[in-house]
């Protein structure tokens, strides 16, 4: 649930808010409007810029034409000065010297005037204009040409053609500029006006180019090389330019052109010029007449220049108007676009807030519902939102009913009428069916929990409280006694003769005897007393509010009498007894282990004193208990001080007599006491957590020693194994798997070479041990049942136990009772049937070994073969491997 909630939270964070979607919905068309507005603005800007460029180009055309006109007007007075300076030409003309001097003075003044006019026109051409480069070149060329003319170092033809060249350059620049103006994206009227400018400019060029050629032609008449051809070409260009003037589009220009053509100076001049073109053989005009014609030509040039200025002004005005209109259109488009955007955004904001408010409220309510808060759902907003709100409200109503049903199930009120109320629709049927199944599952769970709790706290064979439950019951009783001041008594019951029943009649009969004994004990105690089974044939009886110790002794007597009654079994009667130890809590003690230990010691003394009796824990036993505590402390110290040693008893293959492994047996070399028998300190360690520490040490030392032996072991030989005993307390500890894994990892020994030996009692009494054994087998180690036959494991149980090896107890091997050999053979065959390896313990006679070989027993160990020996001696058996064991 937590991960699902976190995923929902992450999904909410990842999802965009509603305003973002609405904004995107509005921004898409607005973006289109913005793009169109920008496109229109850019178009208007481009039009304005094009109009401005066209206007500047037209202005440049006029400026270049003025410069060109100035250059061509400068030709006539400049040529005149050259002519007047030439005595040959002046002699041919035949003018008086006074007239010649006056004319030279006039022409020098005219040259200066035209030069200033030309220089001013060229200087006015903008630096960035199309013809700016041509204007700069013209200024440079004119400066050189003028200086030569002033120095009278240039001929008439050279001077004329130099001026014509400069004029041609300016004319080309003017045409290029006019073409640039026509290439701009301007309206049709403006294009037409600029075309008119070109037509008038062509006329002006033809007019100004005509007169110098005419003067030159007149001067050259009668000479060996007349100059009629250039003059005739100029006249033809003038005539063509006049004809093209009919293409003018501007009515005002057409009117101005009509007036210009009809002017007396123009008509008279054109008539004279036309006559001179037609009469190629006529004599040269007199100088006075030629001067008058030149003056008429100046008037005509003035009129044409005025017409060109008018055309330029019209084109510039139109281009300027285009630029203004484009700028106005840009501004209006921008304002309109921004207005549309602002109005749209405002409308989207108002609409978005309205819808977002309704949906936000609905989303908030839905979020609260998703978190388990069944709030009232408000209905508002647009119709669709209202529909969703009504649906959510209906769903909340259904959830409230489910909530009521869940509350009824949670509080255990499975009879609540709300559980019978189904929801509407197919989903309601499914939910109602689920509720019914849940109610049924809850009932089953309660029954199962009760059964599991009972199983966890009770012995499966006798249905009495087990060891763990017994400890809790004793602990609770001691605490209650500490508060009330009452004594609590504990009777430790150890059945006498029970092993003989197992041996004689089998484990099934033994189980029946245990059940009968438990039933008799429950019948003999008071209603408030509790009987528990600790395991095997050990029971306890907990008695609270003890009046005096005599009452506990009397109860022990009744229990002994009840248990000692014959028990029907196998068609006859079985008789067992009981030895009971009695302990009483004193001084408000609340340690259950201490009370159990005191009762256990008292029961042990009862067995020592003849069985079938009860013994009270007294000061003597307390002293024994103190000695046991001291011994436990000494064991702990010996383990920490390195006083423990491992001896290794070889295990041989029965068929080949080859050594296949060892069983590691712990020994205690206690300072001041010598070697302490295992039976003296192992039970003490097993009654405390100390046995786990001892087991860890044995595991580590045994695997370390095996690793040392393996270092020089031949690769072709089977590797020896080592068997280590694991106590029941350690096996029940959840850390046992890690302890074994750590020992294997530290030594580097493969798990297959380690055998863990456990007793039958551990497998029967502690279910956790089975789980841990399965986990240990998953590591790869082998599991062996030690001392098989002394506990309560039946042969049939072997098939389900996580074991690999069965070690037959020495009592079966050494027994000479009738049928015992057959029983051993049966155990071996049964173990082989279940795929188990069989090891015989305590082989001390050759006949026993021969019989085991005949019964196909797999392995054996015992004093006949080898006694337990230190590691050094045990390792010597591996170098070289012996085929037949030596004498024990």
């Amino acid at each position: 649930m937590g991960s699902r909630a976190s995923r929902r939270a992450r999904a909410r964070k990842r999802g965009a808010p509603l305003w973002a979607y609405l904004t995107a919905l509005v921004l898409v068309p607005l973006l289109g409007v913005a793009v169109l507005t920008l496109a229109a603005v850019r178009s208007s800007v481009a039009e304005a810029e094009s109009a401005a460029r066209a206007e500047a180009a037209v202005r440049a055309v006029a400026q270049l034409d003025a410069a060109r006109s100035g250059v061509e007007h400068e030709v006539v007075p400049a040529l005149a000065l050259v002519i007047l300076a030439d005595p040959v030409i002046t002699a041919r003309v035949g003018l008086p010297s006074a007239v010649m001097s006056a004319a030279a003075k006039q022409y020098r003044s005219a040259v200066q005037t035209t030069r200033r006019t030309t220089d001013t026109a060229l200087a006015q051409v903008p630096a960035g204009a199309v013809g700016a480069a041509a204007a700069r070149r013209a200024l440079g060329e004119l400066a050189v040409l003028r200086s030569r003319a002033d120095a009278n170092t240039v001929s008439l033809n050279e001077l004329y053609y130099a001026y014509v060249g400069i004029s041609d350059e300016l004319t080309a620049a003017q045409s290029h500029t006019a073409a640039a103006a026509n290439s701009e994206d301007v309206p049709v009227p403006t294009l037409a006006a600029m075309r008119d400018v070109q037509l008038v400019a062509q006329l002006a060029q033809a007019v100004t180019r005509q007169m110098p050629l005419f003067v030159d032609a007149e001067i050259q008449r009668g000479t060996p090389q007349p100059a009629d051809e250039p003059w005739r070409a100029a006249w033809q260009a003038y005539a063509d330019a006049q004809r093209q003037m009919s293409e003018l589009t501007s009515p005002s220009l057409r009117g101005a052109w009509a007036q210009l053509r009809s002017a007396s100076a123009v008509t008279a001049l054109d008539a004279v010029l036309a006559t001179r073109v037609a009469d190629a053989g006529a004599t040269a005009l007199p100088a006075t007449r030629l001067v008058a014609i030149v003056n008429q030509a100046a008037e005509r040039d003035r009129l044409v220049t005025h017409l060109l200025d008018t055309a330029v002004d019209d084109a510039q005005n139109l281009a300027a108007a285009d630029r203004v209109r484009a700028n106005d259109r840009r501004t209006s488009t921008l304002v309109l676009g921004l207005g549309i955007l602002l109005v749209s955004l405002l409308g989207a904001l108002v609409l978005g807030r309205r819808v977002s408010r309704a949906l936000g409220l609905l989303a908030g309510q839905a979020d609260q519902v998703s978190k388990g808060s069944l709030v009232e759902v408000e209905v508002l907003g647009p119709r669709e939102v209202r529909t969703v709100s009504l649906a959510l409200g209906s769903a909340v109503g259904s959830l409230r009913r489910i909530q009521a049903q869940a509350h009824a199930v949670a509080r255990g009120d499975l009879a609540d009428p709300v559980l019978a109320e189904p929801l509407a629709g197919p989903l309601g049927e499914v939910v109602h069916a689920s509720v019914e199944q849940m109610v049924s599952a809850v009932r089953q769970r309660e029954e199962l929990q009760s059964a599991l709790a009972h199983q966890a706290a009770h012995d499966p064979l006798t249905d009495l409280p087990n060891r763990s439950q017994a400890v809790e019951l004793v602990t609770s009783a001691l605490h209650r006694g500490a508060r009330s001041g009452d004594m609590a008594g504990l009777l430790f019951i150890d059945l006498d003769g029970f092993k003989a029943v197992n041996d004689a009649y089998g484990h099934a009969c033994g189980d029946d005897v245990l059940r009968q004994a438990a039933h008799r004990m429950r019948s003999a105690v008071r209603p408030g007393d509790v009987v528990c089974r600790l395991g095997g044939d050990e029971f306890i009886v907990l008695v609270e509010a003890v009046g005096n110790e005599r009452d506990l002794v009397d109860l022990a007597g009744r229990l002994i009498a009840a248990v000692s009654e014959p028990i029907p079994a196998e068609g006859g009667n079985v008789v067992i007894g009981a030895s009971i130890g009695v302990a009483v809590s004193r001084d408000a003690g609340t340690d259950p282990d201490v009370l159990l230990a005191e009762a256990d010691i008292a029961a042990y003394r009862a067995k020592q004193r003849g069985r079938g009796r009860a013994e009270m824990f007294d000061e003597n036993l307390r002293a024994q208990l103190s000695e046991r505590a001291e011994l436990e402390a000494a064991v702990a110290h010996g383990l920490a001080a390195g006083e423990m040693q491992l001896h290794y008893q070889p295990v041989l293959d029965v068929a080949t007599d080859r050594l296949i492994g060892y069983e590691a047996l712990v020994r205690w070399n206690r300072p001041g006491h010598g070697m302490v028998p295992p039976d003296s300190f192992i039970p003490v360690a097993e009654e405390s957590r100390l046995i786990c520490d001892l087991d860890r040490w044995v595991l580590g030392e045994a695997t370390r020693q095996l690793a040392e032996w393996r270092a020089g072991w031949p690769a072709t030989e089977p590797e020896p194994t080592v068997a280590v005993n694991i106590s029941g307390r350690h096996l029940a500890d959840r850390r046992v798997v890690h302890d074994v894994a750590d020992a294997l990892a530290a030594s580097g020994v493969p798990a297959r070479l380690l055998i863990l030996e456990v007793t039958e009692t551990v497998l029967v009494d502690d279910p956790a041990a089975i789980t841990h054994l399965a986990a240990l087998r998953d590591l790869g180690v082998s599991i062996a049942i030690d001392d098989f036959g002394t506990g309560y494991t039946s042969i049939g149980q072997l098939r389900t136990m996580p074991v690999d090896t069965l070690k037959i107890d020495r009592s079966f091997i050494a027994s000479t009772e009738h049928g015992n050999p057959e029983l051993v053979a049966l155990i071996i065959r049964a173990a082989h049937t279940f795929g188990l390896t069989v090891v015989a313990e305590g082989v001390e006679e050759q006949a026993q070994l021969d019989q085991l070989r005949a019964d196909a027993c797999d392995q054996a160990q015992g004093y006949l073969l080898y006694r337990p020996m230190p590691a050094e001696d045990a390792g010597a058996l591996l170098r070289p491997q012996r085929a037949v064991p030596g004498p024990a």
Side-chain angles (χ1 to χ4, degrees):
M1 291 297 291
S3 61
R4 189 179 303 169
S6 63
R7 286 197 299 271
R8 287 201 299 267
R10 289 195 297 270
R12 285 197 295 270
K13 292 180 180 179
R14 286 196 298 268
L18 176 63
W19 65 263
Y21 289 105
L22 292 176
T23 302
L25 185 64
V26 174
L27 284 180
V28 170
L30 290 184
L31 185 60
V33 172
V35 170
L36 292 177
T37 301
L38 289 176
V41 169
R42 292 186 62 182
S43 177
S44 299
V45 170
E47 289 180 9
E49 292 175 349
S50 181
R53 288 193 298 272
E55 183 182 2
V58 170
R59 186 181 302 110
V61 168
Q63 292 166 341
L64 289 171
D65 186 76
R68 178 203 55 77
S69 177
V71 170
E72 292 181 351
H73 280 90
E74 188 178 335
V75 174
V76 174
L79 290 177
L81 289 175
V82 173
I83 292 171
L84 291 176
D86 189 343
V88 177
I89 297 176
T90 54
R92 189 169 62 244
V93 173
L95 290 177
S97 59
V99 174
M100 297 290 286
S101 298
K105 182 178 180 181
Q106 180 182 358
Y107 285 129
R108 277 194 293 272
S109 176
V111 164
Q112 296 300 323
T113 301
T114 55
R115 284 181 179 181
R116 286 193 296 270
T117 301
T118 301
D119 291 345
T120 301
L122 289 173
Q124 288 178 347
V125 177
V130 178
R136 287 195 300 272
R137 286 195 303 273
L139 281 173
E141 293 173 358
L142 284 173
V144 174
L145 184 61
R146 288 168 182 172
S147 62
R148 294 182 62 191
D150 292 343
N152 200 18
T153 58
V154 59
S155 66
L156 181 66
N157 287 336
E158 186 179 0
L159 178 64
Y160 172 74
Y161 285 112
Y163 273 112
V164 170
I166 295 173
S167 177
D168 288 342
E169 287 185 9
L170 293 175
T171 300
Q174 183 181 3
S175 300
H176 187 58
T177 305
N182 289 328
S183 65
E184 295 295 337
D185 186 14
V186 294
V188 174
T190 305
L191 286 175
M194 290 190 292
R195 174 62 179 168
D196 290 347
V197 170
Q198 282 186 289
L199 293 175
V200 177
Q202 289 175 1
L203 176 65
Q205 292 171 8
V207 167
T208 54
R209 182 68 58 86
Q210 183 187 60
M211 192 50 56
L213 295 175
F214 171 71
V215 172
D216 183 60
E218 288 297 324
I219 293 174
Q220 299 296 331
R221 282 182 185 271
T223 62
Q225 295 179 347
D228 286 347
E229 291 302 324
W231 146 242
R232 293 179 182 280
W235 172 257
Q236 186 62 42
Y238 172 68
D240 292 341
Q242 284 184 321
R243 284 192 297 272
Q244 288 180 355
M245 291 297 287
S246 63
E247 299 177 5
L248 292 174
T249 59
S250 172
S252 60
L253 284 179
R254 285 199 301 272
W257 167 242
Q259 291 179 359
L260 188 150
R261 289 190 65 182
S262 61
S264 58
V266 174
T267 55
L269 180 63
D270 287 350
V272 172
L273 295 178
T275 301
R276 301 303 293 175
V277 169
D279 190 2
T283 60
L285 292 173
T288 55
R289 180 61 176 152
L290 186 60
V291 171
I293 293 174
V294 170
N295 290 334
Q296 288 179 331
E299 177 62 18
R300 186 187 61 176
D301 290 350
R302 185 186 64 78
L303 293 176
V304 172
T305 300
H306 177 71
L307 181 63
L308 178 60
D309 291 341
T310 301
V312 169
D313 290 341
D314 290 345
Q316 284 183 325
N317 291 336
L318 287 174
D322 292 341
R323 176 171 50 80
V324 172
R325 282 195 300 272
N327 288 333
D328 292 343
R329 189 162 53 252
R330 177 199 62 192
T331 303
S332 60
T333 302
L334 187 60
V335 171
L336 179 62
L338 290 177
I340 293 174
L341 289 175
L342 290 176
V343 171
S344 301
L345 286 174
L346 183 60
L349 180 62
V350 173
L351 177 62
R353 286 192 62 184
R354 185 176 179 186
V355 175
S356 296
R357 183 180 178 186
L359 288 178
L361 178 61
L362 179 61
Q365 293 168 345
D367 184 61
Q368 288 181 296
V369 172
S370 70
K371 293 178 179 178
S373 299
L374 303 182
V375 298
E376 292 293 336
V377 179
E378 297 185 34
V379 180
L380 51 83
R383 180 173 59 188
E384 289 77 5
V385 179
R386 290 174 177 268
T387 301
V388 176
S389 300
L390 289 173
L392 180 60
S394 177
V396 169
S398 300
L399 290 173
R400 284 199 180 98
R401 186 176 301 176
I402 294 175
Q403 185 182 49
Q405 293 175 345
H407 283 320
V409 174
R411 64 175 177 266
D413 188 5
L414 303 183
D416 194 320
V418 74
L419 296 175
E421 299 178 7
L423 301 178
L427 177 60
E429 295 177 1
V430 173
V431 172
H432 186 62
S434 300
V435 170
E436 290 181 339
Q437 291 182 358
M438 185 166 54
V439 170
S440 176
V442 169
R443 290 195 178 105
Q444 294 177 1
R445 185 193 65 183
E446 290 177 348
E447 294 173 358
L448 180 60
Q449 285 179 340
S450 178
L452 290 175
H454 183 82
Q455 292 176 10
H458 290 76
D459 173 56
L461 181 62
T462 62
D463 201 33
L464 295 176
N466 57 18
R467 176 183 287 274
S468 61
Q469 182 67 12
V471 173
E472 291 183 8
L473 293 173
V474 173
T475 301
S476 300
L478 292 177
H479 282 287
R480 286 191 293 270
R483 289 193 297 269
S484 64
D486 295 332
M487 293 189 302
L490 192 68
L491 282 68
F492 193 99
I493 305 168
D494 193 344
L495 300 183
D496 298 329
F498 178 72
K499 184 178 181 302
V501 173
N502 268 341
D503 294 342
Y505 298 98
H507 292 283
C509 179
D511 292 344
D512 289 337
V513 169
L514 287 174
R515 282 191 288 266
Q516 287 290 332
H519 175 70
R520 293 180 180 183
M521 292 180 197
R522 281 198 300 263
S523 301
V525 301
R526 300 177 305 174
D529 300 336
V530 182
V531 181
C532 305
R533 184 190 178 201
L534 299 183
D537 57 357
E538 296 177 345
F539 298 82
I540 64 168
V541 175
L542 176 62
V543 181
E544 294 191 60
V546 176
N548 54 70
E549 297 178 358
R550 188 64 206 174
D551 294 338
L552 295 176
V553 175
D554 292 342
L555 175 59
R558 293 196 301 272
L559 290 170
I560 293 173
V563 171
S564 300
E565 291 290 330
I567 299 174
E570 297 291 335
N573 292 325
V574 174
V575 178
I576 60 174
S579 299
I580 300 178
V582 181
V584 179
S585 65
R586 294 181 177 85
D587 302 328
T590 57
D591 190 341
D593 291 333
V594 171
L595 192 61
L596 281 168
E598 291 176 351
D600 185 12
I601 290 175
Y604 183 72
R605 187 168 67 178
K607 280 186 172 291
Q608 286 182 327
R609 293 186 174 181
R611 303 175 183 267
R613 54 184 293 144
E615 289 287 338
M616 178 69 69
F617 182 81
D618 54 18
E619 291 303 324
N620 292 332
L621 292 177
R622 189 178 301 278
Q624 294 180 13
L625 187 61
S626 177
E627 292 176 1
R628 178 179 294 183
E630 293 177 0
L631 182 59
E632 181 180 335
V635 171
H637 177 270
L639 183 60
E643 298 172 4
M644 300 297 171
Q645 301 177 0
L646 284 187
H647 284 196
Y648 298 88
Q649 185 173 28
V651 179
L652 302 185
D653 184 276
V654 173
T656 63
D657 291 331
R658 294 187 63 84
L659 188 148
I660 60 174
Y662 300 92
E663 179 180 1
L665 303 170
V666 65
R667 298 291 187 264
W668 182 16
N669 187 8
R670 186 179 182 185
H673 297 76
M675 283 293 183
V676 180
D679 294 343
S680 299
F681 69 92
I682 293 296
V684 174
E686 287 180 341
E687 292 177 1
S688 67
R689 302 295 303 175
L690 189 60
I691 190 63
C692 297
D693 297 332
L694 185 61
D695 283 354
R696 293 188 190 96
W697 180 84
V698 173
L699 279 169
E701 179 62 21
T703 53
R704 184 202 62 77
Q705 183 61 64
L706 182 59
E708 183 178 323
W709 288 335
R710 291 179 68 240
W713 191 254
T716 58
E717 294 291 332
E719 295 182 282
T721 61
V722 64
V724 175
N725 290 278
I726 297 293
S727 67
R729 184 183 290 268
H730 191 196
L731 190 60
D733 192 323
R734 59 184 176 83
R735 294 174 296 179
V736 65
V737 179
H738 295 291
D739 293 341
V740 174
D742 291 345
L744 291 172
S747 63
V749 170
R752 57 185 172 78
L753 300 182
L754 177 62
I755 302 172
L756 300 180
E757 297 187 2
V758 298
T759 61
E760 292 179 79
T761 306
V762 173
L763 297 177
V764 174
D765 291 348
D766 196 338
I770 301 295
T771 303
H772 293 162
L773 283 179
L776 289 169
R777 288 189 79 199
D778 290 340
L779 290 178
V781 302
S782 300
I783 306 299
I785 299 180
D786 196 17
D787 301 332
F788 182 78
T790 60
Y792 310 104
T793 305
S794 65
I795 293 178
Q797 291 176 288
L798 295 176
R799 75 173 70 208
T800 60
M801 289 186 176
V803 296
D804 306 282
T805 302
L806 187 147
K807 300 188 74 171
I808 303 176
D809 185 67
R810 66 178 61 248
S811 61
F812 287 89
I813 303 301
S815 176
T816 58
E817 295 182 4
H818 177 69
N820 193 72
E822 289 77 8
L823 178 59
V824 171
L826 176 62
I827 293 174
I828 294 173
R829 287 197 300 273
H832 286 168
T833 300
F834 299 137
L836 303 180
T837 300
V838 180
V839 180
E841 297 182 290
V843 179
E844 299 181 357
E845 298 178 4
Q846 186 62 43
Q848 297 170 356
L849 183 61
D850 294 340
Q851 184 61 48
L852 291 171
R853 188 175 288 113
D855 293 336
C857 182
D858 301 300
Q859 302 166 12
Q861 64 184 96
Y863 285 2
L864 174 66
L865 306 174
Y866 289 102
R867 292 176 177 270
M869 60 186 71
E872 182 178 357
D873 297 337
L877 299 178
L878 300 173
R879 301 184 300 271
Q881 175 67 266
R882 299 182 180 180
V884 180

